[in-house]
Amino acid sequence: MAGRTARLVLLAGAAALASGSQGDREPVYRDCVHRCEERNCSGGALRHFRSRQPIYMSLAGWTCQDDCKYECMWVTVGLYLKEGHKVPQFHGKVSLNAWFWSTVFHTKDTDLTEKMDYFCASTVILHSIYLCCVSSGSRGRTVGLQHPAVVSAFRALLLLMLTAHVSYLSLVRFDYGYNLAANVAIGLVNVVWWLAWCLRNQHRLPHVRKCMAVVLLLQGLSLLELLDFPPFFWVLDAHAIWHISTIPVHVLFFSFLKDDSLYLLKESEAKFKLD
């Protein structure tokens, strides 16, 4: 019992540390955000920011502080690349939160930990759909920058779907069959959308092949969640093998995200030079 409690405490501490991400803790980033907020997010400067802010960004809840964090993120990324360092992660919370609750649930199965595991899994899938939405559009890039009003409406729809899903399972009945069917349905939407984006951009962006491999591998591995079988050596069942198998897949997906971020950075720098 004491051992399990200690593991839970350690996991909670690790999740708290991880939620900040390396980029968020970088002194250059923090100092940049602090100076930006002091300079732009109060008094006349704040009124000027709000007066020139497009209405769709205001409706989306984009604040002066958010703008500072976004701009300083790219400043920090540029400094990392200039010094020859790897690009740091910023604001990495959603996936880590899901993995944290999955670990807690598999350590101690209670009504709360089970619900948090299932709800966070649904959140990750919906978040992946949202990311695909802001990574598609004209020339296959960033609906969020070209049609932010559409993205804001789509984000509200996804949040409404998640709220309805969680409310039904929490307040009406925790139906395992419904939960499985709902996750399979949104999972298929996620797979089809990502594959369509990959196929549309595979010739223009070579690193998209990594994303396509990730999508196909996860789709294949998801069969382990549907086709259960007795555990090997009474230790490794289908669910355990699913979790183990997804580790290298996420490493490959991170490699794709890094390549895609570097591509976007170079594209932004080239556009800035042309302007």
Side-chain angles (χ1 to χ4, degrees):
M1 183 69 179
R4 286 189 175 184
T5 303
R7 285 197 297 272
L8 287 175
V9 172
L10 289 173
L11 286 169
L17 289 173
S19 65
S21 300
Q22 178 186 351
D24 301 19
R25 299 192 300 268
E26 173 60 47
V28 173
Y29 170 78
R30 289 176 174 269
D31 182 60
C32 175
V33 172
H34 178 71
R35 287 187 287 108
C36 178
E37 291 179 350
E38 280 191 337
R39 184 172 60 251
N40 301 316
C41 300
S42 61
L46 178 59
R47 288 192 292 272
H48 176 68
F49 170 81
R50 289 173 175 170
S51 66
R52 55 190 282 271
Q53 184 182 34
I55 184 64
Y56 54 77
M57 295 191 73
S58 177
L59 292 174
W62 187 265
T63 66
C64 179
Q65 288 78 8
D66 292 328
D67 205 62
C68 284
K69 291 176 181 178
Y70 178 78
E71 295 297 335
C72 289
M73 176 186 70
W74 287 111
V75 169
T76 307
V77 167
L79 290 174
Y80 264 73
L81 293 175
K82 185 178 180 180
E83 297 297 326
H85 299 300
K86 294 181 179 179
V87 177
Q89 181 193 43
F90 290 86
H91 317 303
K93 298 180 176 65
V94 176
S95 292
L96 288 173
N97 188 52
W99 287 337
F100 168 70
W101 281 109
S102 179
T103 304
V104 172
F105 169 58
H106 287 81
T107 303
K108 179 62 177 177
D109 184 353
T110 68
D111 184 62
L112 173 63
T113 59
E114 180 182 43
K115 284 184 169 63
M116 291 303 296
D117 178 35
Y118 285 13
F119 296 162
C120 288
S122 301
T123 303
V124 166
I125 301 174
L126 289 173
H127 186 255
S128 178
I129 294 175
Y130 173 73
L131 288 179
C132 193
C133 173
V134 299
S135 297
S136 58
S138 66
R139 295 185 61 211
R141 298 308 316 167
T142 336
V143 166
L145 296 180
Q146 299 171 6
H147 309 287
V150 176
V151 172
S152 297
F154 187 66
R155 180 172 60 236
L157 174 63
L158 292 179
L159 288 173
L160 182 63
M161 290 174 58
L162 179 63
T163 302
H165 178 70
V166 171
S167 298
Y168 173 75
L169 292 175
S170 301
L171 304 176
V172 180
R173 184 166 68 97
F174 196 85
D175 187 332
Y176 290 95
Y178 157 74
N179 181 70
L180 178 62
N183 280 288
V184 168
I186 60 176
L188 287 175
V189 172
N190 182 53
V191 168
V192 171
W193 202 335
W194 272 110
L195 278 180
W197 182 85
C198 290
L199 291 172
R200 190 167 61 248
N201 293 278
Q202 61 177 333
H203 299 298
R204 189 170 62 88
L205 305 174
H207 60 269
V208 165
R209 295 169 186 169
K210 295 181 181 179
C211 181
M212 187 179 297
V214 168
V215 173
L216 294 175
L217 284 171
L218 285 178
Q219 184 67 7
L221 290 172
S222 64
L223 294 175
L224 290 169
E225 292 286 79
L226 301 176
L227 306 175
D228 202 4
F229 51 79
F232 295 119
F233 310 110
W234 302 111
V235 175
L236 295 175
D237 62 2
H239 193 67
I241 296 175
W242 150 257
H243 280 289
I244 295 172
S245 302
T246 56
I247 294 174
V249 177
H250 283 91
V251 173
L252 180 60
F253 189 57
F254 178 79
S255 176
F256 157 73
L257 292 176
K258 182 183 70 173
D259 292 343
D260 200 46
S261 298
L262 291 173
Y263 167 79
L264 283 174
L265 184 61
K266 291 179 181 178
E267 190 180 59
S268 299
E269 289 176 346
K271 183 179 179 181
F272 178 77
K273 289 178 181 179
L274 289 175
D275 293 340

